[in-house]
Amino acid sequence: MALSTYCRLLHMYKFTFGNSANILSRIGLGHNGITVLACSKHAVRFKSSEADRKEKQRQHMAKGLPKQKPVAGVKQVVVVASGKGGVGKSTTAVNLALGISANDQTKSVGLLDADVFGPSIPKLMNLKGNPELTEKNLMRPLVNYGIPCMSMGFLVEETAPIVWRGLMVMSAIEKLLRQVDWGHLDYLVVDMPPGTGDVQLTITQNIPVAGAVIVSTPQDIALLDARRGAEMFRKVNVPVLGMVQNMSVFQCPNCQHQTHIFGTDGARELAHTLGVDVLGDVPLHLNIREMSDRGQPVVVSSPDSPEAEAYRKVASAVVQRLAALSD
């Protein structure tokens, strides 16, 4: 067997390099099979080819991430994220957009639902229907409460599952970013999906993001994933504007007793650890849930309520942090 293998190897070298004496100085048969005892100048060529390959790889990697291109008509993009689902991220994103607009009505604000698999914006903003197309074949956002919105939920049936692989998801995000006529916006608030996957990378690598807002409850299990989310944005050079501590306290509507169902100040402690600001605390309140389910966010349906004031304070803090980063 070893002799047969030796012959095939020698034949291969002769076929590749010819019968030059410089091919191999010696190929021998050892007790474990074939042993190359010495090589010719062709080995140097192999080494040189390997060095060339590594150099090309280094140059390719040096090109870095895709070049970021701003979203047409949008001045600043703010992403609202959380490592874990179910912490009120989408509700926060909606009320943040409405809060920015309520605080300064001269500012135009848009809302992009980047959660392809679980779009919530259509329900929260009470919007249905398919976007119309402009003469340039761009989708027109659906508008409610003065906020133009775009979501994958406008493009599929309400109950239809979206069963896509990563490349299809990234392509959909590209279309939601590039093929929408946003007009002229001062702020585009992006409701990100939970986690740190394809959508997060696609958005942060392809468009300049002014800052990220991290939403979490005070609960330890939620804070673990919130920290991962914050660290992910730092790795891709997106400023973390701060944290929103959602569902911070429950106040009994009858006796007014306050209960910290998910713990006390966990998000504040994490913000201190990360060295970022606490943008605000939002209570766990029945009115927030009821109005959200009706598609009437509290900032517009109950503007004088304490919970609406909490969202407006968050919006004010976000705008202040953006201004500070711009200076």
Side-chain angles (χ1 to χ4, degrees), residues 139-169:
M139 292 182 288
R140 284 198 179 96
L142 275 63
V143 181
N144 199 8
Y145 309 119
I147 305 293
C149 304
M150 181 52 61
S151 170
M152 182 58 65
F154 300 148
L155 307 176
V156 297
E157 293 295 329
E158 186 175 1
T159 59
I162 299 175
V163 188
W164 287 352
R165 294 187 183 274
L167 288 175
M168 295 179 69
V169 174

Side-chain angles (χ1 to χ4, degrees), residues 20-320:
S20 170
N22 290 326
I23 296 172
L24 294 174
S25 297
R26 184 159 48 126
I27 299 180
L29 278 173
H31 65 281
N32 291 325
I34 300 172
T35 304
V36 179
L37 302 177
C39 296
S40 71
K41 61 184 179 182
H42 293 290
V44 178
R45 291 180 185 172
F46 283 138
K47 291 180 181 178
S48 177
S49 297
E50 178 68 13
D52 290 343
R53 185 186 67 80
K54 288 183 177 180
E55 176 61 20
K56 289 180 180 179
Q57 186 179 37
R58 186 194 67 79
Q59 292 176 359
H60 178 72
M61 295 298 292
K63 294 179 181 178
L65 300 175
K67 288 185 178 180
Q68 294 179 331
K69 182 181 177 182
V71 179
V74 176
K75 291 182 180 178
Q76 290 185 299
V77 175
V78 178
V79 298
V80 180
S82 65
K84 184 175 291 296
V87 298
K89 169 186 55 60
S90 296
T91 303
T92 301
V94 165
N95 284 284
L96 171 61
L98 291 165
I100 294 173
S101 180
N103 289 342
D104 186 351
Q105 296 184 6
T106 65
K107 301 298 183 182
S108 53
V109 186
L111 188 57
L112 171 62
D113 189 352
D115 194 345
V116 173
F117 295 109
S120 302
I121 299 304
K123 176 71 172 178
L124 290 168
M125 292 293 286
N126 194 27
L127 288 169
K128 291 182 179 180
N130 301 119
E132 296 178 354
L133 294 179
T134 68
E135 294 179 356
K136 295 182 179 179
N137 209 32
L138 299 176
M139 292 182 288
R140 284 198 179 96
L142 275 63
V143 181
N144 199 8
Y145 309 119
I147 305 293
C149 304
M150 181 52 61
S151 170
M152 182 58 65
F154 300 148
L155 307 176
V156 297
E157 293 295 329
E158 186 175 1
T159 59
I162 299 175
V163 188
W164 287 352
R165 294 187 183 274
L167 288 175
M168 295 179 69
V169 174
M170 290 186 283
S171 176
I173 292 297
E174 279 283 331
K175 287 179 171 58
L176 291 175
L177 289 171
R178 306 294 183 194
Q179 297 184 16
V180 176
D181 183 8
W182 288 108
H184 297 283
L185 297 178
D186 293 292
Y187 304 99
L188 176 62
V189 177
V190 181
D191 178 24
M192 302 283 269
T196 56
D198 290 332
V199 173
Q200 286 81 356
L201 288 175
T202 299
I203 289 176
T204 56
Q205 290 178 3
N206 285 278
I207 66 172
V209 178
V213 174
I214 307 297
V215 180
S216 179
T217 65
Q219 187 179 9
D220 288 347
I221 195 68
L223 294 169
L224 286 172
D225 290 330
R227 181 165 191 168
R228 294 187 182 98
E231 295 293 353
M232 185 274 295
F233 285 114
R234 285 179 166 173
K235 284 183 179 293
V236 294
N237 299 316
V238 172
V240 178
L241 301 177
M243 294 195 64
V244 174
Q245 184 167 247
N246 199 29
M247 309 181 198
S248 58
V249 64
F250 172 74
Q251 181 171 295
C252 176
N254 296 321
C255 67
Q256 310 304 313
H257 176 72
Q258 292 189 343
T259 304
H260 295 86
I261 295 175
F262 295 106
T264 306
D265 287 340
R268 286 185 172 274
E269 293 172 4
L270 176 58
H272 178 73
T273 300
L274 295 173
V276 299
D277 294 339
V278 177
L279 300 171
D281 292 78
V282 178
L284 178 62
H285 200 285
L286 181 62
N287 191 38
I288 297 176
R289 196 276 302 167
E290 288 182 339
M291 293 298 100
S292 295
D293 285 349
R294 294 176 187 173
Q296 301 171 7
V298 293
V299 169
V300 291
S301 62
S302 307
D304 299 325
S305 64
E307 50 273 22
E309 178 63 21
Y311 282 121
R312 285 197 299 270
K313 286 182 178 179
V314 170
S316 178
V318 168
V319 171
Q320 290 176 14

